[in-house]
Amino acid sequence: MPHVEPGMTVGLFGGSFNPPHDGHVLVADIALRRLRLDQLWWMVTPGNPLKSRRELAPLADRIALSETIAENPRIKVTAFEQSLGQSYTARTLEKIRARNPAIHFVWVMGADNLKTFDRWQRWQEIARSVPIAIVDRPGATLAYLSSKMAQTFDYARVDEEDAALLARRPAPAWTFLHGPRSRLSSTALRAGKPARG
C-alpha cells in the first residue's frame, strides 16, 4: 500500500481499468479536487467478480497503462489487492482500514457503477464502513436516484457543497459529484469504438 501519514484523507478508486482511459483520469481529478484529498489510490484489481475475465488484459499491462495516464503525483497507482489474494471490495476495505487506522478514507466510483452496486458482496457493509463519493458519468446522472444504494442510504446523503468534509464524516455518508464528464468507456475501447464527448 502507498505510504501515508496520520490524518491524511485518501480516496480509494478501484476498478479493472481494462483499459484505463481519460474518463478514469477525469473521475480521479474531480475526486482529488472536490474532496480535497491528500492522495488517491488508483487500485487496479486482479479482476471484477461481476465481469467476465475472458477479455481481461494482464494485470501488469493495466498497471503500466494506468501509470502512463495518471500523471498527478497525488495519484498512486497500486495493485495491492493481488497480494491480498482476493478481489472483493468489502474484504479489501477491511484490510486497508486495519493497516491504516489513522487515515480518513473515501471510496470513489463512477455513477455508472451504481446500477450493480447492490450486487457487490456485502454492499451495505461497504456503505456503512467508509464514506462514498459518486462521480457523475454520461447517462448515469438521473439513474443514480433510482439505484438501490441511493434509496437505501438516502438519509446519509451529504450535500455536494459539503463534499470536502466527506472523508471526515462517519459512514454511512455519501455524495454525488457533478462536473465535466467523459464518454470514454473501457468496453467501447476494447471493441475498438472509442466514444468521445
Side-chain angles (χ1 to χ4, degrees), residues 105-147:
F105 289 107
V106 178
W107 183 258
V108 175
M109 66 181 185
D112 49 323
N113 285 307
L114 275 181
K115 64 185 172 207
T116 58
F117 188 70
D118 62 294
R119 291 174 51 206
W120 293 19
Q121 186 183 69
R122 294 158 50 192
W123 69 276
Q124 293 191 38
E125 189 176 319
I126 294 170
R128 290 189 178 101
S129 67
V130 64
I132 299 173
I134 299 150
V135 182
D136 200 3
R137 291 277 291 144
T141 306
L142 297 177
Y144 85 91
L145 289 171
S146 61
S147 72

Side-chain angles (χ1 to χ4, degrees), residues 58-75:
L59 182 62
D61 293 351
R62 291 180 284 127
I63 292 168
L65 287 169
S66 295
E67 289 174 337
T68 300
I69 67 171
E71 298 175 349
N72 188 318
R74 289 188 293 154
I75 297 175

Side-chain angles (χ1 to χ4, degrees), residues 78-196:
T78 177
F80 61 79
E81 254 186 325
Q82 174 79 359
S83 66
L84 297 179
Q86 51 78 38
S87 56
Y88 288 104
T89 301
R91 291 184 202 159
T92 299
L93 286 173
E94 283 173 1
K95 296 193 177 190
I96 290 172
R97 294 172 69 232
R99 291 186 193 180
N100 302 280
I103 305 302
H104 304 282
F105 289 107
V106 178
W107 183 258
V108 175
M109 66 181 185
D112 49 323
N113 285 307
L114 275 181
K115 64 185 172 207
T116 58
F117 188 70
D118 62 294
R119 291 174 51 206
W120 293 19
Q121 186 183 69
R122 294 158 50 192
W123 69 276
Q124 293 191 38
E125 189 176 319
I126 294 170
R128 290 189 178 101
S129 67
V130 64
I132 299 173
I134 299 150
V135 182
D136 200 3
R137 291 277 291 144
T141 306
L142 297 177
Y144 85 91
L145 289 171
S146 61
S147 72
K148 194 166 181 179
M149 184 275 189
Q151 291 178 350
T152 302
F153 292 98
D154 180 60
Y155 67 92
R157 184 173 179 187
V158 174
D159 193 283
E160 186 173 358
E161 292 178 6
D162 297 322
L165 307 173
L166 186 68
R168 297 182 185 275
R169 293 185 76 134
W174 64 279
T175 194
F176 189 92
L177 301 176
H178 295 85
R181 296 178 296 171
S182 168
R183 293 196 172 276
L184 284 172
S185 148
S186 293
T187 304
L189 289 172
R190 286 195 305 275
K193 305 179 220 174
R196 299 200 175 266

